[in-house]
Structure formats: C-alpha cells, structure tokens
Amino acid sequence: MKKWIAAASTVAGLLLTLTSPLAAAEGIDDVYKSLRQAMPSLKKEDISPSPVAGIYEVSRGMSFFYATGDGRYVFSGDLVDVQSGTSITENNRKSLRLQQLAKLDDKSMITFPAKNEKYRITVFTDIDCGYCRKLHREIEDYNAKGITVQYLFYPRSGPNTPSFTKAEAVWCSADQNAAMTNAKQGANVTAEKCENPVRQQYELGQVLGVRGTPALVLPDGSMQPGYVPADRLVGILEQGA
C-alpha cells in the first residue's frame, strides 16, 4: 500500500495543469508514432490525455498504462488523485465495463428480477462454482432486498468442457430460470443444442477482467469479486449510489 501511494504521489507531483486541446492532440500523435513501433495493433483512439500535463493514458482493453509525451517512457499502475483519493484509472475501467455491458440486451441474460427493484447487478457465473451456487441458493434474499440479478456465463474451465456444456444446456432450456436453479443444485440439465451466447459471454468476461466467479458488476461499473451476502451487498450498493 505504501509503495502504491508513493507511486501515485510521484505521478500526482508532476505538473497538474491540463494541456490545451491542440497540444493534447499533437501529443497523442507523438505518443502513437512512438508506441506503434512496439505495438503495431495500437490504435490512436487507445490514447488519451491524462489529467497530468505531459502524461498520456493508453488503454489495451481493461489494461492501462501511461506514457510520456514523446512516447519514450511508459509506466504501469493506477493513476491516483491523492487529494481526493480517486483512482482515475479505476474510474476508466468502470466506464469501459458499463460501455461493454450496455451493448447487451435483456434477452441475452438470464434474469432473476426483484419485485421492487432498487439495484440491478450483472453476475458472471459458473454452474460448477461452489460460491456461485451459494449465491444462487440465496437469490430470493437478493431479490427481497430489491436487487435484480442478471446472469452471464463464465465457465472457468473454458470451451469444450463439462461446465461449458452445462451452461449451454441451461441456456437452451425452455425455462432458463428453472434450469439455472436445477443446474446449480447439481441436477443434470439436458436440452437440445441451440444457438447460444455462452462463448461470447465467456470472452466478454475475459475482456472485462473476470478472474474468478462469481464476479459481480455493480451499477457504477465496479467489479466485486466473489460471493457477497445480500445484506452486505446492499451496503456496498448504497455507498455507490
């Protein structure tokens, strides 16, 4: 933690005045020309000015690093405003998560709705994950607290594995919600094969930085890893509201 704050303080100690739009655009060109030699797939739109003059943010999916204005030096880690305690980098990750999830519609998720919805969360889940099953056993508790749960599949073992096949069977079932509950209780769910979004959801989870399940994406775009009891989750959601 001390090392993290020291690094953030070093960055924050640089000149904090914003550059003009023209200078910023010229700086992006310089950074792009320098970095694309090492990263041919880099796009100019991956680069943007940071709040620190002369420092540019480069995004590669959910990974971020920072570069000097000439593109010669780069460094990784979160850019933090130590006065406000705000992680600028994490705020950008949140925005990217929300942008990606906004591309999905309700029909591409299996939803357990709250009758009196206050919050809506997206959960990357694995049929065979123990804590995913624990979360689902308490789905009525979440709903009772006003939390609607939208499920996306993230079979941790990857494609062409039993967990992946179970996810596809749940999706292809006539009653997806019942099939989800039965599968998480250990029942053998079978269904005729159909077109399904399991692979796309799995790949989306990788893009968004899912490393384990359950992975909860909250309304502000933050990611909460692991099982969280309904009461505690309400407190987290209230703080972010």
Side-chain angles (χ1 to χ4, degrees):
M1 185 69 173
K2 291 181 180 178
K3 184 178 179 182
W4 175 73
I5 292 196
S9 299
T10 300
V11 174
L14 298 172
L15 295 175
L16 294 175
T17 55
L18 290 172
T19 54
S20 69
L22 178 59
E26 291 175 347
I28 288 174
D29 287 338
D30 291 339
V31 174
Y32 175 66
K33 290 175 183 177
S34 176
L35 293 183
R36 69 176 178 177
Q37 298 178 29
M39 294 179 287
S41 63
L42 183 69
K43 299 177 181 178
K44 191 177 292 188
E45 52 264 34
D46 295 334
I47 306 168
S48 59
S50 82
V52 183
I55 300 296
Y56 291 80
E57 182 180 81
V58 184
S59 65
R60 306 289 282 166
M62 294 299 293
S63 298
F64 292 82
F65 65 89
Y66 294 86
T68 54
D70 58 4
R72 180 175 178 180
Y73 300 100
V74 299
F75 56 95
S76 62
D78 281 17
L79 182 63
V80 179
D81 183 334
V82 293
Q83 291 186 356
S84 66
T86 301
S87 171
I88 294 163
T89 311
E90 178 57 23
N91 282 344
N92 290 338
R93 290 193 193 99
K94 291 178 182 179
S95 296
L96 282 177
R97 291 189 191 107
L98 293 178
Q99 288 171 20
Q100 291 295 324
L101 292 177
K103 297 177 183 178
L104 305 178
D105 58 38
D106 292 342
K107 293 180 180 179
S108 66
M109 295 177 272
I110 298 178
T111 301
F112 287 78
K115 185 175 181 180
N116 298 305
E117 182 180 305
K118 299 178 181 177
Y119 306 102
R120 182 173 289 251
I121 66 171
T122 303
V123 178
F124 285 89
T125 192
D126 181 338
I127 297 296
D128 293 323
C129 154
Y131 278 105
C132 295
R133 291 184 173 188
K134 181 175 176 60
L135 186 154
H136 193 72
R137 284 197 300 270
E138 300 170 14
I139 196 72
E140 292 182 359
D141 294 340
Y142 294 94
N143 291 164
K145 297 289 185 182
I147 303 172
T148 289
V149 177
Q150 301 177 145
Y151 278 125
L152 295 175
F153 287 110
Y154 190 83
R156 296 167 299 170
S157 52
N160 304 315
T161 63
S163 293
F164 203 93
T165 301
K166 291 175 185 179
E168 292 178 315
V170 168
W171 179 265
C172 294
S173 296
D175 187 335
Q176 294 176 328
N177 289 57
M180 177 75 85
T181 297
N182 291 336
K184 285 182 178 290
Q185 290 175 347
N188 182 30
V189 174
T190 60
E192 292 187 10
K193 289 186 177 181
C194 69
E195 289 189 18
N196 64 81
V198 175
R199 182 180 287 271
Q200 292 94 323
Q201 292 177 5
Y202 173 74
E203 292 174 350
L204 175 61
Q206 292 181 314
V207 169
L208 297 187
V210 174
R211 296 293 177 265
T213 52
L216 288 58
V217 182
L218 307 186
D220 67 350
S222 60
M223 184 175 286
Q224 179 71 42
Y227 161 79
V228 182
D231 286 338
R232 185 151 66 88
L233 183 57
V234 168
I236 293 172
L237 291 168
E238 287 176 344
Q239 290 178 359

